[in-house]
Structures are given as structure tokens and as C-alpha cells.
Amino acid sequence: MEQMSLSYKKGDLFMEVVNPTVFAVGHDEQYIIVKQHPLYIPKLGDPPHSKDFMPQRDITNYYIVPRHQPKPPFWEIVGPLDSAQFVEKHTELSVRARFTTVIETLE
């Protein structure tokens, strides 16, 4: 479950739009909004650690994804944003979406 992402499906193929770990989403007619804890990616040569590839729950990124996109890979994603930037952009774009689906165990 910690590998949840927002993906685009075309035929049998999936393309990740927002990488794991997505834990909250919402949408309106124009936008999908996403909250994400990025995964901890170890640096090359670092010794293995229990937090490797686990969500960094102390960091929350926000994304605003237009629902009507040009064909991939030309996504027009707004983000990653911090909380203040998200509120500003949410207002600027007149996004009406609210976070309606939250996976509390990943929050």
C-alpha cells in the first residue's frame, strides 16, 4: 500500500503522474489534487537502512493535475508544492476540488 501513486492508463500501459506515496486525492471538473509523502531514496553507495524506499512522512508534497491533458509525456502538473504554495495556487487556478479520499494509515 505504501507504493500508491497517481497513474495514467493508456491501453494496457500505465504511466506514473505522481510517484509514491500518494495518500490523499480529490477532484473537480478540471483538476485532480494530490497529497504525497515522497519515498526516501538512498544515495548510491549508502549502506542499507530500514527507511530505504519508505515514505518520508515528515514531508508532504501537494500537486494539482489538470484532468484534460495533452498526450504524455507533456503533462502540465503543478507541483511539488508545500502547503502554503498549494493554497496560493489552488486559489489562483480557482480549483474547487477538496481532498475527499484520504488513506489514513499512510497520512
Side-chain angles (χ1 to χ4, degrees):
M1 177 118 74
E2 292 179 347
Q3 300 298 315
M4 304 262 308
S5 64
L6 177 68
S7 299
Y8 167 82
K9 184 178 182 195
K10 179 74 172 180
D12 292 337
L13 301 174
F14 288 89
M15 179 178 170
E16 255 181 8
V17 178
V18 178
N19 297 329
T21 296
V22 169
F23 67 92
V25 296
H27 67 89
D28 63 19
E29 298 81 24
Q30 293 183 309
Y31 298 100
I32 300 168
I33 56 173
V34 179
K35 277 189 193 181
Q36 173 235 40
H37 294 310
L39 296 180
Y40 176 80
I41 307 295
K43 294 182 179 129
L44 188 61
D46 280 356
H49 193 279
S50 62
K51 66 181 180 180
D52 289 355
F53 305 103
M54 297 299 290
Q56 298 181 71
R57 291 197 168 130
D58 57 328
I59 300 171
T60 300
N61 293 326
Y62 296 80
Y63 295 84
I64 300 173
V65 182
R67 291 183 69 179
H68 306 286
Q69 292 280 354
K71 293 186 180 192
F74 303 106
W75 295 102
E76 296 175 2
I77 300 167
V78 179
L81 305 169
D82 64 27
S83 180
Q85 292 169 322
F86 175 76
V87 169
E88 182 180 321
K89 202 66 168 171
H90 194 274
T91 302
E92 177 187 321
L93 295 173
S94 300
V95 177
R96 296 189 344 226
R98 300 292 179 258
F99 291 106
T100 54
T101 303
V102 179
I103 301 168
E104 293 177 10
T105 58
L106 297 177
E107 194 168 23

